[in-house]
Amino acid sequence: MPPTPGILHHVEIWVPDLPRAVADWAWLLEALGYTLHQEWDGGRSWRLGGTYLVFEQSRALSGPRHDRLAPGLNHLAFHAGPRAAVDALTDKALAHGWTLLFPDRHPHAGGPDQYAAYLENRDGFEIELVAAD
C-alpha cells in the first residue's frame, strides 16, 4: 500500500559533530521505536514506519551550532506515550546531556492541558516529548 500523501518521508538535520549527535539522539530515537536505517561516514538515519530522520555532518555547514530561535526548524515534537514514559525519557535525556527548557513550567510549559517535556541538546536542537494522556 503506498504511503498517504502528505506524510513526512524524512527530515534531514545537519549537525556540527556527528559522533556527538549520535550520542545525543540514538538512545532517544531507539527508545521511541526508531531503528537504525542507514549509516555512512558523514551521517546516520533512524526509521520508524515510513518516516526517517537523518543526521548528517555536512562540509557545507555555515555555523557551529543550531539556533532554534532563528528562521527555520524550531523543534521536533514526538508522541512519547503516557506521562510516566515522558518522565522516564526526560530523566534519561538529562543524564545524556540534554537541558530541560522552561523548568519553572515543566511539565505544563505548553499549557495546563498538555503534559510534555521541552529539552535542548548540546548543539541547540530542541525536542518536545508529548504525553498521550
Side-chain angles (χ1 to χ4, degrees), residues 1-131:
M1 184 169 173
T4 303
I7 297 290
L8 280 175
H9 184 268
H10 71 276
V11 175
E12 185 166 328
I13 300 170
W14 282 11
V15 297
D17 184 296
L18 183 61
R20 184 170 60 227
V22 169
D24 284 355
W25 289 92
W27 71 268
L28 172 66
L29 295 173
E30 291 166 7
L32 291 170
Y34 287 76
T35 57
L36 186 63
H37 175 56
Q38 300 165 314
E39 188 171 358
W40 64 100
D41 287 344
R44 303 286 181 284
S45 70
W46 284 265
R47 177 180 219 96
L48 180 62
T51 302
Y52 61 98
L53 298 176
V54 179
F55 297 86
E56 182 176 358
Q57 185 174 344
S58 172
R59 293 177 194 209
L61 282 175
S62 63
R65 182 172 163 81
H66 175 70
D67 182 356
R68 65 184 178 80
L69 300 177
L73 178 73
N74 177 264
H75 69 278
L76 296 174
F78 297 95
H79 293 285
R83 291 178 180 204
V86 168
D87 294 340
L89 286 171
T90 300
D91 290 344
K92 196 167 183 180
L94 296 174
H96 277 87
W98 292 74
T99 301
L100 183 65
L101 297 172
F102 322 113
D104 58 321
R105 298 185 311 231
H106 174 74
H108 298 287
D113 297 329
Q114 182 175 353
Y115 193 98
Y118 295 81
L119 299 146
E120 182 179 43
N121 79 350
R122 298 174 280 182
D123 290 323
F125 291 99
E126 179 185 345
I127 60 168
E128 180 180 350
L129 302 174
V130 182

